[in-house]
Amino acid sequence: MTQAFTSAGGDRCVETVTSALQGLGVMPSDIDYVESDQRIDGPANDQRLEGYTIWTGLKDKTGYVVVYTLPDCHFLSVFTRGEVKIKDGKIVT
């Protein structure tokens, strides 16, 4: 799973995100691409990193599995966008 994640572009919080994906039943072959963003908060002169948002696109699906982490990569939450849904703890379409 880790190799598929990093090959698709994942470079932040690899262990946390791959664990969340595996828990949802995502297989390494399901991963199409990975993008990540920093979540920043505060005024321009005092900004702080709140954590990361990692978007994982799945092959043959329009949508994403999104994992929020804290700055130290501890898991915060997971949700989906588009036609990708979670039902009974697993990804469905």
Side-chain angles (χ1 to χ4, degrees), residues 60-75:
D60 301 323
K61 294 177 178 61
T62 303
Y64 312 91
V65 177
V66 184
V67 178
Y68 275 3
T69 70
L70 296 172
D72 62 1
C73 288
H74 277 85
F75 177 83

Side-chain angles (χ1 to χ4, degrees), residues 38-51:
Q38 295 180 336
R39 292 191 319 281
I40 305 291
D41 191 28
N45 63 346
D46 189 27
Q47 291 186 335
R48 66 183 185 282
L49 177 64
E50 286 195 332

